[in-house]
Amino acid sequence: MSYDYKRLVEDIEKLSAKYPVIETKSIGMSVMKKPIYCLKIGDGERKLFLNGAHHGLEYLTSAFLMKFLFEFARAISGNCEFFGYDAKELGENVSLYIVPMVNPDGVDIAINGLDITNPYHQKLISSVGIHSFNKVWQSNARGVDINHNYNAGWRVVKTKPCESKYAGPYSESEPETKAMVDFIRKMDFDTLIAFHSQGKEIYYDFDGTVAENSRHLAEEMAKVSGYAVCVPTGSAAFGGCKDWFIKEFGKAGFTIEIGSGKNPLPIDMLSEIYNDNAKIILKAMEELYEKVH
Ligand SMILES: [Zn+2]
């Protein structure tokens, strides 16, 4: 099973039918005019923002975030314990906002290949020079790597559109990046976690800037998940979502690299990934909960 945009939309419909407490809205459109969905659960004054699939091949992050939402909603509705936490009480103190698939076009290219209706079809084929777009595609539908397109140390890495690491003509040039930036500015989140794959790693700094307490929280997340706390180097070190969040607001932003192996990660890794990363999310929620009390 591959988790493409169609699958995501079906899951969102199922989830909101089953748990009306979940609110869904679109925060903007992708290059190919697909709505980029955000789901909200919980009503607390503190706000945690989670997002996945900035990169096409990393669609298991979307599958994971949707699974987390299903299970968390179930625990809240049933007033159940959730990994040792009181789900309902957490939800009353912390609001969770989730954009499970920031880059729906990229995911669809990685899974289904380049769509003939893509207006950049010819251009991408001539500049990328390959016809097998699936299995390599990380960028959006016009060959820009969204997680290098944020205004945080933005710079040219590659000079033309391609499957990975082309940062775009300028920062925030892409509709997906713009949708995220506008939404984040408006919402004033306390903490942000961007899920990528793979490596079982936790990143918490931007270019030497570390938000208050985020090193400590990264270590707590590492303890519950078995993941390693890391400081990025090279091309992973700028232009990303968490980089911009840390730079812009000085608040705790994290990149979590889920699972291990080669992208795309196999779906049978989902339950292990869920187990490790649900605890990471809950650790971040617990920290915000403690700020309320
Ligand atoms: Zn990534």
Side-chain angles (χ1 to χ4, degrees):
M1 185 216 76
S2 295
Y3 203 86
D4 64 5
Y5 183 70
K6 186 169 167 279
R7 186 83 199 263
L8 172 77
V9 172
E10 285 166 7
D11 270 359
I12 290 174
E13 282 164 5
K14 267 189 234 163
L15 187 64
S16 22
K18 196 162 181 189
Y19 303 108
V21 58
I22 291 177
E23 294 166 27
T24 305
K25 67 172 212 155
S26 162
I27 63 161
M29 298 280 191
S30 68
V31 168
M32 297 293 285
K33 304 282 181 254
K34 293 183 184 112
I36 299 166
Y37 288 112
C38 180
L39 298 98
K40 183 198 173 208
I41 187 165
D43 276 318
E45 60 172 282
R46 294 288 173 165
K47 290 185 271 189
L48 172 62
F49 181 42
L50 312 175
N51 57 75
H54 270 85
H55 287 138
L57 287 176
E58 301 173 12
Y59 47 81
L60 210 61
T61 56
S62 310
F64 156 65
L65 286 169
M66 290 305 290
K67 183 172 168 60
F68 179 83
L69 258 174
F70 268 106
E71 302 295 341
F72 190 50
R74 193 206 316 265
I76 287 181
S77 307
N79 206 1
C80 307
E81 196 176 276
F82 189 57
F83 289 91
Y85 290 91
D86 181 332
K88 198 156 171 278
E89 201 184 346
L90 267 189
E92 281 163 3
N93 289 278
V94 183
S95 297
L96 203 53
Y97 293 80
I98 304 185
V99 173
M101 198 178 279
V102 177
N103 179 14
D105 299 342
V107 167
D108 281 357
I109 293 172
I111 293 173
N112 304 316
L114 189 62
D115 189 336
I116 193 78
T117 63
N118 183 329
Y120 305 92
H121 187 264
Q122 275 312 322
K123 197 179 164 209
L124 286 177
I125 286 178
S126 59
S127 74
V128 176
I130 47 164
H131 291 255
S132 52
F133 281 77
N134 49 351
K135 307 297 174 203
V136 296
W137 201 259
Q138 295 279 49
S139 301
N140 72 356
R142 55 186 180 207
V144 178
D145 188 325
I146 297 169
N147 211 48
H148 281 73
N149 191 236
Y150 288 86
N151 185 15
W154 183 93
R155 69 191 88 140
V156 173
V157 192
K158 291 190 179 170
T159 53
K160 59 178 188 178
C162 61
E163 71 276 14
S164 170
K165 297 194 169 65
Y166 171 59
Y170 50 90
S171 66
E172 294 179 22
S173 60
E174 301 310 295
E176 296 88 354
T177 322
K178 199 82 185 83
M180 287 287 280
V181 164
D182 290 347
F183 181 61
I184 292 168
R185 280 193 193 286
K186 194 174 78 189
M187 295 306 300
D188 190 27
F189 294 114
D190 294 289
T191 307
L192 174 148
I193 306 177
F195 287 92
H196 288 255
S197 67
Q198 44 75 43
K200 297 193 172 184
E201 291 162 338
I202 300 166
Y203 294 90
Y204 64 93
D205 94 317
F206 167 61
D207 205 15
T209 305
V210 178
E212 193 197 338
N213 209 33
S214 62
R215 164 95 204 177
H216 172 73
L217 181 51
E219 280 163 1
E220 293 291 306
M221 289 169 167
K223 240 183 260 172
V224 294
S225 61
Y227 282 21
V229 176
C230 296
V231 175
T233 51
S235 69
F238 62 89
C241 185
K242 76 111 175 57
D243 301 326
W244 176 76
F245 187 76
I246 295 169
K247 186 205 100 172
E248 197 68 14
F249 306 105
K251 293 180 185 170
F254 301 90
T255 291
I256 310 288
E257 296 280 358
I258 67 167
S260 59
K262 189 178 179 315
N263 287 325
L265 296 177
I267 195 74
D268 61 15
M269 214 175 259
L270 185 59
S271 65
E272 179 199 320
I273 283 173
Y274 169 72
N275 241 309
D276 296 340
N277 289 277
K279 289 184 256 177
I280 287 178
I281 295 172
L282 290 163
K283 208 21 114 178
M285 291 185 82
E286 181 190 330
E287 210 244 354
L288 292 176
Y289 174 88
E290 281 165 4
K291 281 187 181 162
V292 182
H293 293 270

